[in-house]
Every structure is written in C-alpha cells, then in structure tokens.
Amino acid sequence: FIASAGAVPLYDIMSQISEKLGKKRPHLRVPARLASAAARVEEWRARLTGQEPLLTRQSVKILKESVFFDNRKASEKLGITFK
C-alpha cells in the first residue's frame, strides 16, 4: 500500500526511495525509443545468462506514463484516513 495524503507522482516516490537507500535519485532523461531498445537488449542478455534483466520493456512502458499513486486502496481496505 502507498501511505500518503494525496496523489504522488512515480518520480517523487523513486526519489524518496533513493534517498532512504542512500543512493542518487534518478536524473537522466532517456528518449523512450532508446530506452525500449535498451530493454530489448537487456532482456535478451538476461535470457542468455539466466540472470534477471536490469530493465524490461514493461518497466520502460510504466516509466513513459504519467503515473501517480494514491491512498484510495489503503483507505478502502484498511479503513484508514490520511491527513
């Protein structure tokens, strides 16, 4: 569940997670076509080596969208209200 007082953009969530992990936040903007091509290559590499891909076409698709997370599900399922 996402516990927040309102809708939060994916970029803000990723920035907060990076900060808590002591990592640099995402800052590089990559054209969508280049990211999709890189994901295809990475998925191919992962299949060959048996490792998990670092980037997938699905993750690129999600990052291309304007994604917001809200607390509606947590409020409904848990009966919690956020301020």
Side-chain angles (χ1 to χ4, degrees):
F1 293 113
I2 301 294
S4 68
V8 181
L10 176 61
Y11 183 83
D12 290 352
I13 290 176
M14 297 301 290
S15 295
Q16 291 176 17
I17 291 171
S18 298
E19 183 181 316
K20 296 293 182 191
L21 294 174
K23 304 288 183 184
K24 291 182 181 178
R25 68 182 183 163
H27 63 280
L28 182 65
R29 294 205 180 264
V30 176
R33 293 182 107 178
L34 178 59
S36 293
R40 286 181 187 273
V41 170
E42 178 58 18
E43 288 173 348
W44 181 75
R45 183 206 60 83
R47 268 189 242 112
L48 288 176
T49 62
Q51 298 176 338
E52 289 292 318
L54 300 173
L55 181 66
T56 66
R57 286 175 283 172
Q58 182 64 30
S59 61
V60 170
K61 182 180 176 183
I62 290 169
L63 292 172
K64 286 192 314 186
E65 306 285 326
S66 293
V67 178
F68 286 85
F69 293 92
D70 66 30
N71 62 17
R72 192 172 341 150
K73 185 175 179 182
S75 294
E76 291 171 0
K77 299 269 185 187
L78 302 175
I80 298 173
T81 56
F82 299 93
K83 296 181 181 183

